[in-house]
Amino acid sequence: RKTVRVSGFWRSDDNGETWRKLGDSGADEIRQIKGSGSIIGIFGGSTIRLSEDAGETWRDYHEGLPHASKLGKGSIPWQGTFCMLSSVGGVIFRRKPSDAAWVALPRGKWQPGCPDAEPRLSGRDRSRVSMPALCTVVVDSRDDRHWFAMDWFTIWETNDAGANWTSRVNGMMQLVSFDMGFDPFDPKKLIYGVADLRVMTTQDGGKSFQMPTNRNFAGCNSVAFSTRRRGLALIAGGKEKSEILRTRDSGVTWECPAMKGLPAIKGGIAGGYGVYTV
């Protein structure tokens, strides 16, 4: 059977129960500017635009960025003081809402968190140590100098706003990292999404991870926590199939909302959906 793939950009105003189509195409990735209805979108992997009406209309927002940069996901900290964009070459760009342009941050230093348990990062091949495929930067909702970054090969942590990075993959098989979300009400609760395995959650700040047991998952490409309702989060994506799932307890259990108004996406299509809260 021929797979039917439908593109478009939809918005839900009721936690994913019903959806309204805004256009036939939309941003590859979007992030909210905290405290407002404005969102930043990445179009075609390299064009940055800003919407001040929750995705209804857009304008260019790429001042200061190199031409045709291959960019990963943006990240908005809890305090709403700045936003960031990451490039696949390992460069992070930063911009405050009041700034006239984006500024590239100096490259930091990298080290393995546990050399004995992470031989890939401490052996002869150092090519993966400097984030060659950086795609996501996540800022701690309680500390805007504490970040996690994912480059498909490794999870990195910094406590000094990118000056020094330490790998955090002891005991974990990532198989293509996509996204990580902090619970804004409890920073010890995180949801971690990968392409080839189920979504993983932690309730103790990353000391241990668990896979939810009440549903079968086909992967996770996007994670979005609500900043208004405790424990509410949505995830989307999947390698075998694309779906949107919802949790009301920070990832312990999951359910599939009605998704009225969204088209069915059949077949294996990683990244078929991207989901974000505004």
Side-chain angles (χ1 to χ4, degrees), residues 188-224:
K188 291 185 178 181
K189 298 179 179 180
L190 297 93
I191 297 175
Y192 172 49
V194 296
D196 296 273
L197 292 171
R198 302 187 214 174
V199 65
M200 287 173 272
T201 64
T202 177
Q203 307 291 314
D204 55 14
K207 294 180 180 179
S208 61
F209 281 84
Q210 300 81 38
M211 290 186 181
T213 58
N214 74 310
R215 281 193 62 90
N216 292 322
F217 288 82
C220 171
N221 301 69
S222 299
V223 180

Side-chain angles (χ1 to χ4, degrees), residues 43-60:
F43 293 77
S46 60
T47 302
I48 310 301
R49 296 189 178 121
L50 173 71
S51 174
E52 297 175 308
D53 51 15
E56 297 279 354
T57 59
W58 299 84
R59 64 177 176 86
D60 288 346

Side-chain angles (χ1 to χ4, degrees), residues 2-81:
K2 184 177 180 181
T3 299
V4 178
R5 298 181 177 178
V6 179
S7 62
F9 188 52
W10 291 263
R11 189 179 77 200
S12 174
D13 297 314
D14 55 9
N15 299 322
E17 292 293 340
T18 59
W19 297 80
R20 178 168 64 90
K21 190 173 183 179
L22 300 181
D24 293 330
S25 62
D28 302 322
E29 307 289 349
I30 59 176
R31 282 293 187 267
Q32 179 191 9
I33 295 179
K34 180 62 184 175
S36 71
S38 298
I39 53 178
I40 296 172
I42 303 174
F43 293 77
S46 60
T47 302
I48 310 301
R49 296 189 178 121
L50 173 71
S51 174
E52 297 175 308
D53 51 15
E56 297 279 354
T57 59
W58 299 84
R59 64 177 176 86
D60 288 346
Y61 197 64
H62 53 66
E63 296 85 356
L65 293 174
H67 178 67
S69 298
K70 292 299 181 181
L71 298 168
K73 296 180 180 179
S75 179
I76 306 298
W78 175 256
Q79 291 86 345
T81 55

Side-chain angles (χ1 to χ4, degrees), residues 120 152-153 172-178 192-197:
R120 180 175 58 187
W152 288 27
F153 306 115
M172 180 185 289
M173 176 60 71
Q174 310 92 281
L175 289 178
V176 187
S177 301
F178 266 112
Y192 172 49
V194 296
D196 296 273
L197 292 171

